[in-house]
Amino acid sequence: SIKLSTMTKVVLVSTSATSLQGHDTGLWIEELAAPYYEFKKAGYEVVIASPAGGPIPIDKNSMGEGFFTDAAKKFMHDGEAVGELCHSTKLDSIDFASVDAIFCCGGHGTCVDFHDNATLKSAIESMYAADKVVSAV
């Protein structure tokens, strides 16, 4: 018989929000870039997702002096990574039963579209109940 190995699947969840109380916001790029490369290095399948799907806004301040880390710079010059960021998977289209870990990335945009998101809440609760990895930064 053939034994199929399955790759560990991690979903990195980012905000879709561009504004918080009238101020530009979005993803804090380091908080997606660093785990993205750590998970890839470990051989995991990485899915970038967001509540709305599609392009993820980046908080411009996260690319400012002192904040734009090596991992963030690498990410922004990585065509495959940027492509995934520009075409993120819509959160409610993911079957979380097939996911091994969820990692919620930071940025002030999460204050807009994470706190009252039924899909994200359900994903976190079901994964936690199944003893899967639930994490955030």
Side-chain angles (χ1 to χ4, degrees):
S1 76
I2 297 173
K3 189 174 190 176
L4 297 176
S5 64
T6 57
M7 184 181 285
T8 300
K9 185 175 185 178
V10 180
V11 175
L12 302 182
V13 183
S14 177
T15 184
S16 294
T18 59
S19 178
L20 173 64
Q21 298 178 342
H23 299 281
D24 289 345
T25 191
L27 165 70
W28 196 264
I29 189 63
E30 161 67 12
E31 295 181 359
L32 184 140
Y36 176 87
Y37 287 115
E38 289 300 317
F39 293 137
K40 287 279 193 180
K41 186 169 66 177
Y44 299 166
E45 176 186 354
V46 178
V47 175
I48 296 177
S50 63
I56 293 174
I58 299 170
D59 186 323
K60 65 183 176 202
N61 295 313
S62 70
M63 294 189 287
E65 186 66 36
F67 297 110
F68 199 35
T69 64
D70 289 343
K73 290 173 188 173
K74 178 181 177 182
F75 190 94
M76 295 307 293
H77 288 96
D78 179 337
E80 181 180 339
V82 170
E84 292 175 44
L85 191 74
C86 293
H87 301 279
S88 71
T89 302
K90 190 171 182 182
L91 199 57
D92 66 9
S93 72
I94 296 172
D95 173 13
F96 280 93
S98 71
V99 173
D100 301 293
I102 186 170
F103 184 96
C104 296
C105 305
H108 288 109
T110 61
C111 297
V112 176
D113 59 1
F114 275 25
H115 71 91
D116 197 24
N117 187 304
T119 301
L120 183 57
K121 179 179 185 283
S122 174
I124 290 168
E125 289 173 347
S126 64
M127 292 189 66
Y128 182 81
D131 287 329
K132 294 183 177 181
V133 176
V134 176
S135 55
V137 63

